[in-house]
Amino acid sequence: MKERAKELKASARRGSRADKAAEEEAAVLAKIAEMQDSDRAMAERIHAVVKASAPELAPKLWYGMPAYAKDGKVVCFFQSAEKFNARYATFGFSDKANLDEGAMWPASYALKDLTAADEARIGELVKKAVN
């Protein structure tokens, strides 16, 4: 919660929209750089995949995690294994993602490793989430 309070305080600062976007992306990249090797490698690849798949998504920190938002609303996020002392990292989607399929669908994915096929699947999901 402390990290979220810092994020809200930082976003309230005055400045141009472009300046805020650059600051938020720099904060995401700094957070990724702080991660353990395996989490950092996955977060870097996911950052690149999300930016390539949906350039309209803006990187931002969300509860201390790298996230990607459309119109200020978080659509997807990366959760490192280290942050929650978990066995695996997670790539998830918020309820703002347009992934609805029937009465039930996955909202997050466990990641132990990231293959080219996984990256392609994440790219497809991100594209679908923003449409």
Side-chain angles (χ1 to χ4, degrees):
M1 292 309 290
K2 288 179 184 179
E3 288 188 60
R4 182 67 180 143
K6 279 194 249 179
E7 293 162 13
L8 291 172
K9 187 175 180 181
S11 70
R13 286 189 211 122
R14 294 181 188 214
S16 73
R17 187 175 279 173
D19 289 343
K20 284 184 181 183
E23 286 176 16
E24 288 180 345
E25 183 161 14
V28 166
L29 294 173
K31 184 59 74 173
I32 290 171
E34 293 173 6
M35 293 178 185
Q36 267 182 331
D37 291 342
S38 60
D39 285 343
R40 183 176 53 247
M42 280 193 285
E44 288 170 345
R45 289 301 311 139
I46 285 174
H47 182 76
V49 168
V50 171
K51 294 218 18 130
S53 301
E56 65 270 30
L57 291 180
K60 65 185 284 176
L61 288 178
W62 186 56
Y63 294 98
M65 299 176 289
Y68 303 88
K70 182 176 180 181
D71 301 326
K73 310 272 188 201
V74 170
V75 174
C76 56
F77 58 91
F78 176 80
Q79 191 174 344
S80 73
E82 177 187 26
K83 181 173 178 77
F84 295 97
N85 200 24
R87 227 169 23 110
Y88 48 79
T90 305
F91 183 71
F93 294 91
S94 76
D95 61 336
K96 303 300 180 208
N98 296 322
L99 295 175
D100 305 26
E101 288 182 13
M104 186 172 80
W105 58 90
S108 65
Y109 296 84
L111 302 172
K112 295 258 313 165
D113 197 16
L114 201 56
T115 66
D118 298 330
E119 289 179 17
R121 178 72 176 132
I122 289 170
E124 291 169 12
L125 288 167
V126 169
K127 285 178 188 176
K128 183 176 180 184
V130 297
N131 290 329

